Amino acid sequence: MVTLLQLNRHLDDDHKNLEEVKQDEVKDWFKSQMVKAKKFQPLAVLNQKFKGLDVFESNDAPPAQGPSAQEPSASITSAPEVSSPDPDEVVTRQHWQRHGPNDICSEPMCGKRLTSTNGKVNCRKCGRLFCDEHTMYQMKLSRSAQHEPVRGIWCRVCETCYKSREGYNDHNGLERDHTKDFNDLRRKTVDKTYLEVSRLEKRLSKLTQLLANPPREESPSSGGLLWPLTGVKNQRKQLEQSVVTWEDDANIIRCPFCQQEFSNYTFRRHHCRLCGRVVCGDPSTGCSSEVGLNVAARTSDTTEKVMGEIGVDVRMCKDCKHTVFSKKDFALELANKPPDLRAYENLVQFERGIRLMLPKFQRLLMALQDPDKPPSPAQLADASKIRKRLIDSFSQYNVAARRIRDLPTELPTQKQLQKAIYQQATNFLHLHMLPLKTLPKVLKHASPHGLTSNGHLTPNGAPHGALAAVRYNDVDAASQVSSSSAVSALEAEEKSLREQLIVLEEQHFLLSGMIADANKRRKFDEVSSLAQNVEELCKEIDQVQGQLGQLDFAGAYNGVMVESPPAR
C-alpha cells in the first residue's frame, strides 16, 4: 500500500515537469479521490451500525415455492402477509433478572459492567443478564422458556444454555454402516484372487499328474531300438505345453522381472509351467525356481491304486509361486512360534499353576496355625504335598525366567524386554515364596494344647516331647524329660531358626539391591512394592531373632527348662 508521503514524492519527482493541462488532470484526480475517502465513515460508526443488524435466525416462515407462485399476479389476488410473532412477547419473562444500575455480566470469565455500549441482554432461557458478546447464540424455546427444537421459537440465549441443551454433547449422532459396501468392494478383489489361485492350482494338479503318470506311447518301429535321449525331453515338453501355451522365445528380449537381456548361451530363457511366461533362471534375483513336489503315482490305469510317491520338479515364476503357496506359507508362519514366545508361554503357564495352588496352601496354613483346632494327619500330609509341589513349581518358574533372560539376541529392545520379564518374574518369586518359608514346625514336631505328634493326649493331659514342653512352658512335663534330650531339642530348634534367619537376611540383602537398582532406573512403582516386601522381611527377621533370644539353654543344662510362650 502506498503512503501519502510516497505519493507526494512521486508527484514532485515524476510529474513536476508536466504540462499545465496534465498537472490539472492529476490534481483533479487527486481531489476526487480525497472526496471519496472523506465519504467513508469511521470504523467505530460502522460497528455501531452493524450491531443493529439482524444476525440471528428469523421466525418468519419460508416463502412457499410451487406452481401457484409462478402464476401472474393479475389473475390471483395475493393474501395479506402474516407477520411473525415477537419472541419477547410470546416467551414468558417471569424468570428474567431485573435491570439495575450496577449490573455485571453473568459470565464467570467476563464480569464486565453492563452499559449501553456493551449491551444488557437477558438470556431467554435462564433469565440472567449478559453482555452482547456472550448472548450471540440462538435456540428454539417454548412459551414456558423450555427447549423445544421442533415447534419452538428462535430466541436469544447465553452460551451456557446453548451448550447445555439436549443433544449438543451427544456424540452418538448419525451412524452409517459402510461394512456392506466395503465387503462388496473387497469381494470383487477377493473373488478375483481366489479365481486366479484356483486356476493355477488346477494347472499345477494337472501338470503333476501328467508328469507322475505320463501316458504310454507305442514304441518306435525301428526294431526295438532305444529311444534317443531327446525323446524323453520332448515328451515332457509336450506334456508341459499341453497344460498352458508358452510364449515365443523370439518375442521376449528381457526378463519381465529383473529386466536383464537374454542371450543364446550365457543367459538362457526359461518358461513358467503355470502361466507360460518367459523368465530368467538367475538364482540371485529369484525370478523363477524349480519347486520340488511329491505326487502320488498309480501302478496301472485300470486299478488306479496309489503305490508310493514320485518327486516332480516344476519351474514356476515368482508371481505364480507366491499366488499358489502364499496362503499355505502364511498358515505355517502363524503355526511356527518363535522361541522367545514359546518360553514366555511356558512361564505364564507355570505362573497360572502357582496362582491356582497358593489359595489352597494358604487355607491349609491357617488351619495348621489354629491352636483351638489341632490339625489332623491328613491335613499335615496335604500341606506337605502342596508345599513340595509349590517348591517344584517355583524352581521350574525360576528356570523358565532365566531361560528367557539368557536367550541370544542382537536387538537392544528385545534384550530389554527379556530383562523386564525376568525382573517381573523375580518380583513374583520374592512376593509368593515367603509363605513357604514361614510354614509352622508342626509338620515335624508336636502340636499345641497337649497333642502328640500322632494326635493323642498323654495320660496326664500334658504335651509329650521336649520341644513341645519348652515351647509351651509346661514345667511339670518338662521335669520328666531328661536334661540331655532337652538340650538336643533346643539345639535342633536353634539350628532351624538360624537357617531360617540366614535365608531371610539373604532375601533382605537381595531386595535392598533391587530397590537401589530401581531407584537408579527411576522405576518408582517397583520401589514401592519392593519396600513393602522389605518391611515384611524385617518383621520376620525380628520375630526369628526374638525366638532365638527366648531359648533358655541355662535352664536346660540345670535340669529346669523355663521358657515364656512366643510373642504373637
Side-chain angles (χ1 to χ4, degrees):
M1 182 177 178
V2 181
T3 61
L4 184 60
L5 180 60
Q6 292 176 347
L7 181 60
N8 292 331
R9 288 182 178 177
H10 171 71
L11 293 176
D12 294 338
D13 296 339
D14 297 340
H15 302 284
K16 61 181 180 179
N17 296 325
L18 292 178
E19 299 178 0
E20 294 183 358
V21 179
K22 294 183 178 181
Q23 289 183 3
D24 294 338
E25 291 179 359
V26 173
K27 292 180 180 179
D28 294 341
W29 176 85
F30 186 74
K31 289 179 180 179
S32 62
Q33 297 299 324
M34 291 293 295
V35 171
K36 290 182 180 180
K38 290 181 180 179
K39 291 182 180 180
F40 286 106
Q41 297 179 355
L43 184 60
V45 179
L46 292 177
N47 292 336
Q48 292 293 333
K49 288 189 175 183
F50 287 152
K51 285 185 178 180
L53 295 179
D54 188 6
V55 295
F56 297 105
E57 294 287 344
S58 176
N59 290 310
D60 296 336
Q65 295 181 358
S68 60
Q70 299 177 357
E71 297 179 0
S73 59
S75 60
I76 299 176
T77 305
S78 60
E81 297 182 357
V82 180
S83 60
S84 60
D86 188 5
D88 295 341
E89 296 179 358
V90 177
V91 181
T92 181
R93 301 187 184 182
Q94 296 180 0
H95 61 291
W96 281 19
Q97 179 183 349
R98 294 185 179 181
H99 294 196
N102 298 321
D103 294 329
I104 59 174
C105 182
S106 300
E107 178 66 26
M109 301 300 294
C110 180
K112 295 180 181 178
R113 185 174 179 180
L114 302 180
T115 60
S116 59
T117 304
N118 54 16
K120 183 183 293 187
V121 183
N122 286 93
C123 173
R124 273 57 172 173
K125 178 70 170 59
C126 63
R128 293 183 297 175
L129 287 172
F130 294 89
C131 61
D132 287 336
E133 183 180 356
H134 294 102
T135 52
M136 301 298 292
Y137 298 89
Q138 258 189 323
M139 60 187 298
K140 285 190 174 183
L141 300 179
S142 62
R143 295 178 180 271
S144 60
Q146 300 298 323
H147 183 216
E148 181 61 39
V150 179
R151 300 180 181 178
I153 302 174
W154 287 109
C155 297
R156 190 173 181 178
V157 295
C158 63
E159 182 180 3
T160 303
C161 295
Y162 178 79
K163 292 184 178 181
S164 62
R165 73 183 191 276
E166 297 178 0
Y168 181 79
N169 294 320
D170 187 7
H171 301 287
N172 298 325
L174 178 63
E175 295 182 358
R176 294 182 180 178
D177 190 5
H178 297 281
T179 306
K180 185 177 181 302
D181 299 335
F182 173 75
N183 290 335
D184 294 340
L185 293 175
R186 180 171 173 77
R187 191 177 296 111
K188 297 178 182 179
T189 305
V190 173
D191 292 346
K192 184 178 179 181
T193 304
Y194 284 164
L195 182 63
E196 182 69 17
V197 172
S198 177
R199 183 168 61 89
L200 293 180
E201 286 180 349
K202 287 181 179 179
R203 290 181 182 177
L204 181 61
S205 177
K206 182 179 178 181
L207 178 61
T208 52
Q209 291 298 329
L210 289 175
L211 294 178
N213 306 292
R216 294 184 179 181
E217 296 183 359
E218 297 180 357
S219 59
S221 60
S222 57
L225 297 176
L226 295 176
W227 287 5
L229 296 177
T230 58
V232 179
K233 293 184 178 180
N234 291 333
Q235 184 188 14
R236 181 184 175 99
K237 184 176 180 180
Q238 291 177 1
L239 293 176
E240 292 172 347
Q241 288 181 347
S242 65
V243 176
V244 62
T245 304
W246 287 7
E247 289 182 348
D248 190 6
D249 295 351
N251 297 332
I252 307 301
I253 302 175
R254 294 182 178 84
C255 176
F257 297 107
C258 62
Q259 301 299 324
Q260 299 186 57
E261 292 187 1
F262 293 113
S263 62
N264 294 329
Y265 300 102
T266 58
F267 200 68
R268 296 179 54 194
R269 296 174 175 85
H270 298 274
H271 288 85
C272 175
R273 271 55 173 178
L274 297 184
C275 62
R277 288 189 296 180
V278 177
V279 292
C280 70
D282 191 358
S284 60
T285 58
C287 298
S288 67
S289 60
E290 290 187 350
V291 180
L293 301 174
N294 294 326
V295 185
R298 296 193 303 269
T299 57
S300 63
D301 297 338
T302 58
T303 58
E304 295 186 356
K305 291 183 179 179
V306 178
M307 299 295 293
E309 295 181 348
I310 297 178
V312 177
D313 295 334
V314 180
R315 180 172 291 278
M316 304 180 192
C317 64
K318 60 181 181 181
D319 283 352
C320 295
K321 183 179 178 181
H322 174 74
T323 303
V324 174
F325 298 107
S326 60
K327 188 175 182 181
K328 183 179 179 181
D329 295 342
F330 181 70
L332 290 177
E333 289 180 1
L334 291 180
N336 186 18
K337 297 180 181 179
D340 52 352
L341 181 59
R342 294 197 300 269
Y344 181 73
E345 290 180 351
N346 190 22
L347 182 71
V348 172
Q349 186 177 0
F350 283 130
E351 182 177 346
R352 189 183 298 112
I354 291 172
R355 290 186 182 277
L356 290 176
M357 284 191 293
L358 277 176
K360 186 177 181 181
F361 179 72
Q362 293 289 347
R363 289 193 297 268
L364 289 174
L365 190 61
M366 295 298 295
L368 295 177
Q369 291 177 344
D370 190 1
D372 298 328
K373 295 180 181 181
S376 61
Q379 289 179 339
L380 297 178
D382 290 342
S384 299
K385 291 179 181 179
I386 295 178
R387 183 173 182 271
K388 184 178 179 182
R389 290 176 58 187
L390 278 174
I391 291 176
D392 294 340
S393 299
F394 277 122
S395 61
Q396 293 175 355
Y397 183 82
N398 188 22
V399 171
R402 290 181 179 179
R403 186 182 297 114
I404 293 177
R405 181 195 61 182
D406 299 335
L407 283 175
T409 181
E410 298 180 356
L411 300 176
T413 55
Q414 180 73 11
K415 193 67 176 178
Q416 186 178 2
L417 177 61
Q418 294 175 189
K419 288 183 179 180
I421 293 174
Y422 178 73
Q423 185 69 26
Q424 184 65 25
T426 305
N427 296 339
F428 178 79
L429 289 175
H430 285 296
L431 182 63
H432 294 90
M433 283 189 68
L434 289 179
L436 297 179
K437 301 297 182 181
T438 59
L439 184 65
K441 298 301 181 180
V442 293
L443 299 178
K444 295 182 180 180
H445 303 290
S447 302
H449 294 292
L451 286 178
T452 62
S453 60
N454 295 326
H456 300 287
L457 287 171
T458 56
N460 58 353
H464 179 74
L467 181 61
V470 171
R471 179 174 293 178
Y472 297 103
N473 196 17
D474 194 342
V475 182
D476 295 334
S479 61
Q480 300 175 3
V481 184
S482 61
S483 176
S484 60
S485 61
V487 171
S488 61
L490 286 175
E491 289 177 351
E493 180 69 13
E494 183 188 16
K495 181 180 178 181
S496 176
L497 290 175
R498 291 198 180 279
E499 290 178 354
Q500 184 177 357
L501 183 62
I502 290 173
V503 173
L504 293 175
E505 288 179 349
E506 183 179 0
Q507 291 182 357
H508 184 273
F509 175 76
L510 293 176
L511 286 176
S512 301
M514 292 170 62
I515 290 175
D517 185 46
N519 284 324
K520 290 180 181 179
R521 293 185 289 109
R522 303 183 67 83
K523 298 293 183 65
F524 299 111
D525 52 347
E526 297 181 4
V527 171
S528 60
S529 60
L530 293 175
Q532 295 178 0
N533 295 336
V534 170
E535 292 180 0
E536 295 177 359
L537 280 175
C538 292
K539 292 180 182 178
E540 294 291 335
I541 291 173
D542 295 340
Q543 184 178 359
V544 173
Q545 289 178 352
Q547 293 178 3
L548 285 173
Q550 291 174 0
L551 295 178
D552 189 6
F553 283 94
Y557 284 117
N558 294 331
V560 180
M561 296 179 297
V562 179
E563 182 181 359
S564 60
R568 295 180 182 176

PDB file of all heavy atoms in Angstrom, residues 439-469:
ATOM      1  N   LEU A 439       6.236 -71.726  57.055  1.00  0.00           N
ATOM      2  CA  LEU A 439       5.398 -72.880  57.386  1.00  0.00           C
ATOM      3  C   LEU A 439       5.683 -73.296  58.814  1.00  0.00           C
ATOM      4  O   LEU A 439       6.840 -73.456  59.216  1.00  0.00           O
ATOM      5  CB  LEU A 439       5.696 -74.030  56.420  1.00  0.00           C
ATOM      6  CG  LEU A 439       4.830 -75.272  56.573  1.00  0.00           C
ATOM      7  CD1 LEU A 439       3.395 -74.947  56.226  1.00  0.00           C
ATOM      8  CD2 LEU A 439       5.344 -76.401  55.701  1.00  0.00           C
ATOM      9  N   PRO A 440       4.667 -73.503  59.665  1.00  0.00           N
ATOM     10  CA  PRO A 440       4.893 -73.849  61.083  1.00  0.00           C
ATOM     11  C   PRO A 440       5.586 -75.194  61.230  1.00  0.00           C
ATOM     12  O   PRO A 440       5.469 -76.071  60.377  1.00  0.00           O
ATOM     13  CB  PRO A 440       3.479 -73.863  61.670  1.00  0.00           C
ATOM     14  CG  PRO A 440       2.572 -74.066  60.507  1.00  0.00           C
ATOM     15  CD  PRO A 440       3.233 -73.420  59.337  1.00  0.00           C
ATOM     16  N   LYS A 441       6.265 -75.355  62.342  1.00  0.00           N
ATOM     17  CA  LYS A 441       7.045 -76.559  62.604  1.00  0.00           C
ATOM     18  C   LYS A 441       6.194 -77.737  63.054  1.00  0.00           C
ATOM     19  O   LYS A 441       6.726 -78.788  63.387  1.00  0.00           O
ATOM     20  CB  LYS A 441       8.096 -76.261  63.680  1.00  0.00           C
ATOM     21  CG  LYS A 441       9.093 -75.196  63.256  1.00  0.00           C
ATOM     22  CD  LYS A 441       9.842 -75.593  62.011  1.00  0.00           C
ATOM     23  CE  LYS A 441      10.841 -74.535  61.602  1.00  0.00           C
ATOM     24  NZ  LYS A 441      11.568 -74.905  60.388  1.00  0.00           N
ATOM     25  N   VAL A 442       4.886 -77.564  63.033  1.00  0.00           N
ATOM     26  CA  VAL A 442       4.021 -78.683  63.432  1.00  0.00           C
ATOM     27  C   VAL A 442       4.086 -79.811  62.427  1.00  0.00           C
ATOM     28  O   VAL A 442       3.607 -80.914  62.686  1.00  0.00           O
ATOM     29  CB  VAL A 442       2.558 -78.214  63.571  1.00  0.00           C
ATOM     30  CG1 VAL A 442       2.411 -77.264  64.720  1.00  0.00           C
ATOM     31  CG2 VAL A 442       2.076 -77.581  62.280  1.00  0.00           C
ATOM     32  N   LEU A 443       4.646 -79.539  61.230  1.00  0.00           N
ATOM     33  CA  LEU A 443       4.834 -80.618  60.279  1.00  0.00           C
ATOM     34  C   LEU A 443       5.892 -81.599  60.753  1.00  0.00           C
ATOM     35  O   LEU A 443       5.944 -82.728  60.284  1.00  0.00           O
ATOM     36  CB  LEU A 443       5.237 -80.049  58.913  1.00  0.00           C
ATOM     37  CG  LEU A 443       4.240 -79.104  58.245  1.00  0.00           C
ATOM     38  CD1 LEU A 443       4.805 -78.584  56.935  1.00  0.00           C
ATOM     39  CD2 LEU A 443       2.918 -79.797  58.001  1.00  0.00           C
ATOM     40  N   LYS A 444       6.740 -81.172  61.688  1.00  0.00           N
ATOM     41  CA  LYS A 444       7.817 -82.040  62.180  1.00  0.00           C
ATOM     42  C   LYS A 444       7.679 -82.383  63.659  1.00  0.00           C
ATOM     43  O   LYS A 444       8.109 -83.434  64.088  1.00  0.00           O
ATOM     44  CB  LYS A 444       9.179 -81.364  61.962  1.00  0.00           C
ATOM     45  CG  LYS A 444       9.535 -81.174  60.502  1.00  0.00           C
ATOM     46  CD  LYS A 444      10.920 -80.547  60.386  1.00  0.00           C
ATOM     47  CE  LYS A 444      11.284 -80.351  58.936  1.00  0.00           C
ATOM     48  NZ  LYS A 444      12.630 -79.748  58.778  1.00  0.00           N
ATOM     49  N   HIS A 445       7.122 -81.469  64.454  1.00  0.00           N
ATOM     50  CA  HIS A 445       7.114 -81.642  65.894  1.00  0.00           C
ATOM     51  C   HIS A 445       5.690 -81.738  66.413  1.00  0.00           C
ATOM     52  O   HIS A 445       4.727 -81.812  65.648  1.00  0.00           O
ATOM     53  CB  HIS A 445       7.854 -80.475  66.565  1.00  0.00           C
ATOM     54  CG  HIS A 445       9.256 -80.341  66.078  1.00  0.00           C
ATOM     55  ND1 HIS A 445      10.249 -81.232  66.370  1.00  0.00           N
ATOM     56  CD2 HIS A 445       9.823 -79.402  65.263  1.00  0.00           C
ATOM     57  CE1 HIS A 445      11.375 -80.872  65.789  1.00  0.00           C
ATOM     58  NE2 HIS A 445      11.138 -79.759  65.102  1.00  0.00           N
ATOM     59  N   ALA A 446       5.554 -81.632  67.716  1.00  0.00           N
ATOM     60  CA  ALA A 446       4.265 -81.850  68.358  1.00  0.00           C
ATOM     61  C   ALA A 446       3.358 -80.661  68.157  1.00  0.00           C
ATOM     62  O   ALA A 446       3.785 -79.563  67.837  1.00  0.00           O
ATOM     63  CB  ALA A 446       4.464 -82.107  69.849  1.00  0.00           C
ATOM     64  N   SER A 447       2.060 -80.901  68.372  1.00  0.00           N
ATOM     65  CA  SER A 447       1.047 -79.876  68.226  1.00  0.00           C
ATOM     66  C   SER A 447       0.779 -79.230  69.563  1.00  0.00           C
ATOM     67  O   SER A 447       1.074 -79.793  70.626  1.00  0.00           O
ATOM     68  CB  SER A 447      -0.244 -80.488  67.686  1.00  0.00           C
ATOM     69  OG  SER A 447       0.012 -81.110  66.440  1.00  0.00           O
ATOM     70  N   PRO A 448       0.148 -78.063  69.613  1.00  0.00           N
ATOM     71  CA  PRO A 448      -0.149 -77.385  70.871  1.00  0.00           C
ATOM     72  C   PRO A 448      -1.312 -78.039  71.598  1.00  0.00           C
ATOM     73  O   PRO A 448      -2.031 -78.872  71.071  1.00  0.00           O
ATOM     74  CB  PRO A 448      -0.498 -75.967  70.431  1.00  0.00           C
ATOM     75  CG  PRO A 448      -1.005 -76.134  69.032  1.00  0.00           C
ATOM     76  CD  PRO A 448      -0.228 -77.248  68.455  1.00  0.00           C
ATOM     77  N   HIS A 449      -1.493 -77.590  72.835  1.00  0.00           N
ATOM     78  CA  HIS A 449      -2.607 -77.985  73.685  1.00  0.00           C
ATOM     79  C   HIS A 449      -2.645 -79.486  73.925  1.00  0.00           C
ATOM     80  O   HIS A 449      -3.671 -80.158  73.805  1.00  0.00           O
ATOM     81  CB  HIS A 449      -3.944 -77.531  73.100  1.00  0.00           C
ATOM     82  CG  HIS A 449      -4.086 -76.056  73.066  1.00  0.00           C
ATOM     83  ND1 HIS A 449      -4.204 -75.284  74.192  1.00  0.00           N
ATOM     84  CD2 HIS A 449      -4.089 -75.201  72.009  1.00  0.00           C
ATOM     85  CE1 HIS A 449      -4.306 -74.005  73.861  1.00  0.00           C
ATOM     86  NE2 HIS A 449      -4.235 -73.935  72.535  1.00  0.00           N
ATOM     87  N   GLY A 450      -1.482 -80.089  74.245  1.00  0.00           N
ATOM     88  CA  GLY A 450      -1.458 -81.446  74.720  1.00  0.00           C
ATOM     89  C   GLY A 450      -1.586 -82.506  73.681  1.00  0.00           C
ATOM     90  O   GLY A 450      -1.921 -83.645  74.008  1.00  0.00           O
ATOM     91  N   LEU A 451      -1.341 -82.245  72.397  1.00  0.00           N
ATOM     92  CA  LEU A 451      -1.411 -83.250  71.353  1.00  0.00           C
ATOM     93  C   LEU A 451      -0.005 -83.700  71.018  1.00  0.00           C
ATOM     94  O   LEU A 451       0.903 -82.893  70.862  1.00  0.00           O
ATOM     95  CB  LEU A 451      -2.104 -82.713  70.104  1.00  0.00           C
ATOM     96  CG  LEU A 451      -3.626 -82.557  70.197  1.00  0.00           C
ATOM     97  CD1 LEU A 451      -4.127 -81.959  68.894  1.00  0.00           C
ATOM     98  CD2 LEU A 451      -4.316 -83.877  70.462  1.00  0.00           C
ATOM     99  N   THR A 452       0.168 -84.998  70.881  1.00  0.00           N
ATOM    100  CA  THR A 452       1.452 -85.529  70.445  1.00  0.00           C
ATOM    101  C   THR A 452       1.552 -85.440  68.947  1.00  0.00           C
ATOM    102  O   THR A 452       0.650 -84.970  68.267  1.00  0.00           O
ATOM    103  CB  THR A 452       1.595 -86.987  70.906  1.00  0.00           C
ATOM    104  OG1 THR A 452       0.567 -87.741  70.279  1.00  0.00           O
ATOM    105  CG2 THR A 452       1.464 -87.095  72.409  1.00  0.00           C
ATOM    106  N   SER A 453       2.648 -85.923  68.439  1.00  0.00           N
ATOM    107  CA  SER A 453       2.838 -85.899  67.001  1.00  0.00           C
ATOM    108  C   SER A 453       1.859 -86.804  66.285  1.00  0.00           C
ATOM    109  O   SER A 453       1.588 -86.632  65.109  1.00  0.00           O
ATOM    110  CB  SER A 453       4.274 -86.309  66.637  1.00  0.00           C
ATOM    111  OG  SER A 453       4.524 -87.627  67.126  1.00  0.00           O
ATOM    112  N   ASN A 454       1.280 -87.815  67.020  1.00  0.00           N
ATOM    113  CA  ASN A 454       0.278 -88.678  66.421  1.00  0.00           C
ATOM    114  C   ASN A 454      -1.131 -88.182  66.665  1.00  0.00           C
ATOM    115  O   ASN A 454      -2.097 -88.816  66.252  1.00  0.00           O
ATOM    116  CB  ASN A 454       0.403 -90.095  66.980  1.00  0.00           C
ATOM    117  CG  ASN A 454       1.730 -90.720  66.589  1.00  0.00           C
ATOM    118  OD1 ASN A 454       2.232 -90.452  65.513  1.00  0.00           O
ATOM    119  ND2 ASN A 454       2.299 -91.536  67.476  1.00  0.00           N
ATOM    120  N   GLY A 455      -1.285 -87.067  67.380  1.00  0.00           N
ATOM    121  CA  GLY A 455      -2.594 -86.503  67.597  1.00  0.00           C
ATOM    122  C   GLY A 455      -3.286 -87.018  68.833  1.00  0.00           C
ATOM    123  O   GLY A 455      -4.487 -86.843  68.999  1.00  0.00           O
ATOM    124  N   HIS A 456      -2.583 -87.698  69.824  1.00  0.00           N
ATOM    125  CA  HIS A 456      -3.202 -88.250  71.030  1.00  0.00           C
ATOM    126  C   HIS A 456      -2.683 -87.518  72.254  1.00  0.00           C
ATOM    127  O   HIS A 456      -1.556 -87.024  72.279  1.00  0.00           O
ATOM    128  CB  HIS A 456      -2.900 -89.739  71.151  1.00  0.00           C
ATOM    129  CG  HIS A 456      -3.423 -90.532  69.962  1.00  0.00           C
ATOM    130  ND1 HIS A 456      -4.754 -90.777  69.776  1.00  0.00           N
ATOM    131  CD2 HIS A 456      -2.747 -91.098  68.919  1.00  0.00           C
ATOM    132  CE1 HIS A 456      -4.921 -91.498  68.661  1.00  0.00           C
ATOM    133  NE2 HIS A 456      -3.707 -91.695  68.120  1.00  0.00           N
ATOM    134  N   LEU A 457      -3.468 -87.465  73.274  1.00  0.00           N
ATOM    135  CA  LEU A 457      -3.091 -86.832  74.535  1.00  0.00           C
ATOM    136  C   LEU A 457      -2.283 -87.804  75.392  1.00  0.00           C
ATOM    137  O   LEU A 457      -2.470 -89.018  75.348  1.00  0.00           O
ATOM    138  CB  LEU A 457      -4.334 -86.407  75.306  1.00  0.00           C
ATOM    139  CG  LEU A 457      -5.092 -85.189  74.770  1.00  0.00           C
ATOM    140  CD1 LEU A 457      -6.397 -85.062  75.534  1.00  0.00           C
ATOM    141  CD2 LEU A 457      -4.264 -83.950  74.883  1.00  0.00           C
ATOM    142  N   THR A 458      -1.406 -87.267  76.229  1.00  0.00           N
ATOM    143  CA  THR A 458      -0.710 -88.068  77.232  1.00  0.00           C
ATOM    144  C   THR A 458      -1.667 -88.366  78.382  1.00  0.00           C
ATOM    145  O   THR A 458      -2.716 -87.721  78.517  1.00  0.00           O
ATOM    146  CB  THR A 458       0.514 -87.298  77.745  1.00  0.00           C
ATOM    147  OG1 THR A 458       0.072 -86.042  78.227  1.00  0.00           O
ATOM    148  CG2 THR A 458       1.519 -87.092  76.620  1.00  0.00           C
ATOM    149  N   PRO A 459      -1.363 -89.321  79.214  1.00  0.00           N
ATOM    150  CA  PRO A 459      -2.295 -89.663  80.314  1.00  0.00           C
ATOM    151  C   PRO A 459      -2.618 -88.499  81.217  1.00  0.00           C
ATOM    152  O   PRO A 459      -3.740 -88.361  81.687  1.00  0.00           O
ATOM    153  CB  PRO A 459      -1.565 -90.783  81.036  1.00  0.00           C
ATOM    154  CG  PRO A 459      -0.673 -91.398  79.996  1.00  0.00           C
ATOM    155  CD  PRO A 459      -0.258 -90.285  79.121  1.00  0.00           C
ATOM    156  N   ASN A 460      -1.672 -87.648  81.500  1.00  0.00           N
ATOM    157  CA  ASN A 460      -1.949 -86.509  82.377  1.00  0.00           C
ATOM    158  C   ASN A 460      -2.360 -85.260  81.628  1.00  0.00           C
ATOM    159  O   ASN A 460      -2.402 -84.182  82.197  1.00  0.00           O
ATOM    160  CB  ASN A 460      -0.724 -86.212  83.252  1.00  0.00           C
ATOM    161  CG  ASN A 460       0.499 -85.914  82.406  1.00  0.00           C
ATOM    162  OD1 ASN A 460       0.469 -86.061  81.180  1.00  0.00           O
ATOM    163  ND2 ASN A 460       1.582 -85.512  83.074  1.00  0.00           N
ATOM    164  N   GLY A 461      -2.611 -85.381  80.311  1.00  0.00           N
ATOM    165  CA  GLY A 461      -3.052 -84.231  79.529  1.00  0.00           C
ATOM    166  C   GLY A 461      -1.969 -83.251  79.208  1.00  0.00           C
ATOM    167  O   GLY A 461      -2.248 -82.129  78.800  1.00  0.00           O
ATOM    168  N   ALA A 462      -0.713 -83.597  79.392  1.00  0.00           N
ATOM    169  CA  ALA A 462       0.400 -82.675  79.136  1.00  0.00           C
ATOM    170  C   ALA A 462       1.013 -82.992  77.798  1.00  0.00           C
ATOM    171  O   ALA A 462       0.899 -84.116  77.292  1.00  0.00           O
ATOM    172  CB  ALA A 462       1.456 -82.806  80.240  1.00  0.00           C
ATOM    173  N   PRO A 463       1.681 -82.057  77.159  1.00  0.00           N
ATOM    174  CA  PRO A 463       2.333 -82.320  75.889  1.00  0.00           C
ATOM    175  C   PRO A 463       3.483 -83.271  76.049  1.00  0.00           C
ATOM    176  O   PRO A 463       4.137 -83.296  77.082  1.00  0.00           O
ATOM    177  CB  PRO A 463       2.794 -80.937  75.424  1.00  0.00           C
ATOM    178  CG  PRO A 463       2.880 -80.127  76.658  1.00  0.00           C
ATOM    179  CD  PRO A 463       1.846 -80.651  77.586  1.00  0.00           C
ATOM    180  N   HIS A 464       3.702 -84.049  75.004  1.00  0.00           N
ATOM    181  CA  HIS A 464       4.738 -85.058  75.023  1.00  0.00           C
ATOM    182  C   HIS A 464       5.908 -84.584  74.184  1.00  0.00           C
ATOM    183  O   HIS A 464       5.731 -84.146  73.060  1.00  0.00           O
ATOM    184  CB  HIS A 464       4.170 -86.377  74.462  1.00  0.00           C
ATOM    185  CG  HIS A 464       5.194 -87.480  74.429  1.00  0.00           C
ATOM    186  ND1 HIS A 464       5.615 -88.126  75.566  1.00  0.00           N
ATOM    187  CD2 HIS A 464       5.860 -88.036  73.376  1.00  0.00           C
ATOM    188  CE1 HIS A 464       6.501 -89.057  75.232  1.00  0.00           C
ATOM    189  NE2 HIS A 464       6.660 -89.012  73.910  1.00  0.00           N
ATOM    190  N   GLY A 465       7.128 -84.681  74.698  1.00  0.00           N
ATOM    191  CA  GLY A 465       8.305 -84.291  73.960  1.00  0.00           C
ATOM    192  C   GLY A 465       8.932 -83.046  74.540  1.00  0.00           C
ATOM    193  O   GLY A 465       8.268 -82.175  75.101  1.00  0.00           O
ATOM    194  N   ALA A 466      10.253 -82.952  74.410  1.00  0.00           N
ATOM    195  CA  ALA A 466      10.977 -81.821  74.994  1.00  0.00           C
ATOM    196  C   ALA A 466      10.669 -80.524  74.283  1.00  0.00           C
ATOM    197  O   ALA A 466      10.521 -79.466  74.912  1.00  0.00           O
ATOM    198  CB  ALA A 466      12.486 -82.115  74.944  1.00  0.00           C
ATOM    199  N   LEU A 467      10.563 -80.564  72.954  1.00  0.00           N
ATOM    200  CA  LEU A 467      10.329 -79.331  72.206  1.00  0.00           C
ATOM    201  C   LEU A 467       8.972 -78.739  72.537  1.00  0.00           C
ATOM    202  O   LEU A 467       8.844 -77.527  72.745  1.00  0.00           O
ATOM    203  CB  LEU A 467      10.423 -79.619  70.706  1.00  0.00           C
ATOM    204  CG  LEU A 467      10.223 -78.411  69.794  1.00  0.00           C
ATOM    205  CD1 LEU A 467      11.289 -77.374  70.072  1.00  0.00           C
ATOM    206  CD2 LEU A 467      10.237 -78.846  68.348  1.00  0.00           C
ATOM    207  N   ALA A 468       7.934 -79.614  72.628  1.00  0.00           N
ATOM    208  CA  ALA A 468       6.619 -79.110  72.971  1.00  0.00           C
ATOM    209  C   ALA A 468       6.603 -78.548  74.375  1.00  0.00           C
ATOM    210  O   ALA A 468       5.962 -77.526  74.652  1.00  0.00           O
ATOM    211  CB  ALA A 468       5.581 -80.224  72.848  1.00  0.00           C
ATOM    212  N   ALA A 469       7.334 -79.175  75.289  1.00  0.00           N
ATOM    213  CA  ALA A 469       7.364 -78.670  76.666  1.00  0.00           C
ATOM    214  C   ALA A 469       8.083 -77.342  76.752  1.00  0.00           C
ATOM    215  O   ALA A 469       7.652 -76.427  77.449  1.00  0.00           O
ATOM    216  CB  ALA A 469       8.057 -79.695  77.577  1.00  0.00           C
TER     217      ALA A 469
END
